[in-house]
Amino acid sequence: MDTKKILVVDDEEILCEVLKLNLENEGYDVDIADSAEQALTFDLTKYNLILLDIMMGEISGIKFAKIIKKNPLTANIPIIFCTAKDTEDDMIMGLDLGADDYITKPYTIRNVIARVRSVLRRTYKENTANTEVKQYVVEGLVVDMMLMRCTVDGEEIKLAKKEFELLAFLMANQGRIHSRDEILERVWKGETIVLDRTIDVNITRLRQKIGIYGKYIITRSGYGYGFNI
């Protein structure tokens, strides 16, 4: 697989350099821009991912993201917001813009790298879904999308249809917290009336059914759920 190119857009010079160094150590090709204005002078179509601060100069990260998403040539480039704006409303606004993840400052480099891997892995899987065998595996937990079954340490576990789809969704998007609205849209799409409580109940059942691996289904109060190892 060819090297993935990442653009870091942030007005904190030292932070940009630290991200560039560590991401390059992970094998990525990284460019940096200290403003959205500078980033707009680049050929954005060559990037596989953009790490983007929100609070910058005249063109904020939000405005920059809107510009990217309106351009058909760049609309599908995944975006991860890295920002000190950490309220739930800020996060929801970022995700509604089409961002693929939202990381609040201060953060660890290890966390950023894990999120980058997750977004790139998810994007690559979505783009190659027709040629890949879809099976999500974490230790002894296996969700087989071809046979539509879940096994725990080799033993098949009986899951309801929505429980299976919810687990598959969370495992396919590891390292990211999903709001209830996003889960409802992705797992319960087309359903007429679905309560938030429905998600909570299914999460509780999943944790019980997959045994020791239930610890990987995490809750972030006020934000939602995710799968993290």
Side-chain angles (χ1 to χ4, degrees):
M1 187 184 304
D2 54 348
T3 301
K4 294 293 186 292
K5 292 185 67 66
I6 298 174
L7 175 62
V8 178
V9 186
D10 198 307
D11 58 5
E12 296 184 46
E13 182 179 352
I14 294 178
L15 180 58
C16 283
E17 293 294 344
V18 170
L19 286 172
K20 177 179 173 65
L21 175 63
N22 283 274
L23 288 169
E24 287 181 340
N25 285 340
E26 293 295 317
Y28 300 111
D29 185 0
V30 183
D31 291 330
I32 59 178
D34 61 14
S35 68
E37 289 87 344
Q38 182 184 13
L40 287 171
T41 67
F42 296 175
D43 178 8
L44 298 177
T45 62
K46 68 182 182 180
Y47 294 105
N48 301 107
L49 174 69
I50 297 176
L51 285 169
L52 180 61
D53 186 24
I54 287 182
M55 296 183 291
M56 294 187 287
E58 292 185 12
I59 301 179
S60 68
I62 295 295
K63 291 181 180 178
F64 182 67
K66 288 179 179 179
I67 292 171
I68 292 175
K69 294 303 179 182
K70 285 182 180 179
N71 185 342
L73 296 177
T74 57
N76 293 324
I77 299 174
I79 295 173
I80 298 178
F81 278 124
C82 299
T83 178
K85 295 175 72 67
D86 60 357
T87 69
E88 183 176 4
D89 287 343
D90 291 325
M91 185 193 72
I92 291 173
M93 179 175 63
L95 295 176
D96 283 346
L97 276 174
D100 294 78
D101 207 342
Y102 193 103
I103 309 174
T104 57
K105 298 177 180 178
Y107 47 69
T108 65
I109 294 299
R110 183 180 179 185
N111 184 28
V112 173
I113 291 173
R115 302 293 187 92
V116 166
R117 285 176 181 160
S118 178
V119 170
L120 288 174
R121 181 171 61 245
R122 181 169 69 248
T123 302
Y124 178 76
K125 282 184 177 180
E126 288 175 352
N127 290 339
T128 59
N130 293 330
T131 60
E132 287 189 3
V133 175
K134 301 200 71 174
Q135 188 179 77
Y136 305 114
V137 182
V138 172
E139 299 174 8
L141 175 64
V142 180
V143 170
D144 192 322
M145 301 303 290
M146 301 298 290
L147 298 177
M148 303 302 289
R149 73 175 184 177
C150 173
T151 59
V152 172
D153 296 330
E155 182 177 346
E156 184 171 356
I157 304 299
K158 299 297 183 183
L159 298 179
K161 183 173 184 291
K162 289 303 179 185
E163 291 172 351
F164 180 89
E165 292 174 355
L166 176 57
L167 180 58
F169 171 70
L170 293 176
M171 290 184 70
N173 298 279
Q174 294 178 38
R176 175 182 173 188
I177 297 299
H178 305 274
S179 68
R180 284 181 169 82
D181 286 344
E182 183 182 4
I183 293 173
L184 287 173
E185 182 179 344
R186 296 291 295 273
V187 180
W188 276 270
K189 55 185 177 182
E191 301 284 339
T192 305
I193 300 177
V194 182
L195 303 177
D196 285 353
R197 179 62 179 160
T198 302
I199 299 175
D200 301 335
V201 170
N202 277 270
I203 289 290
T204 299
R205 288 175 178 169
L206 272 179
R207 285 183 174 135
Q208 294 172 345
K209 290 184 177 182
I210 64 177
I212 62 173
Y213 304 110
K215 64 185 179 182
Y216 294 137
I217 299 177
I218 59 175
T219 303
R220 289 288 180 265
S221 181
Y223 293 99
Y225 297 102
F227 194 98
N228 196 28
I229 59 176

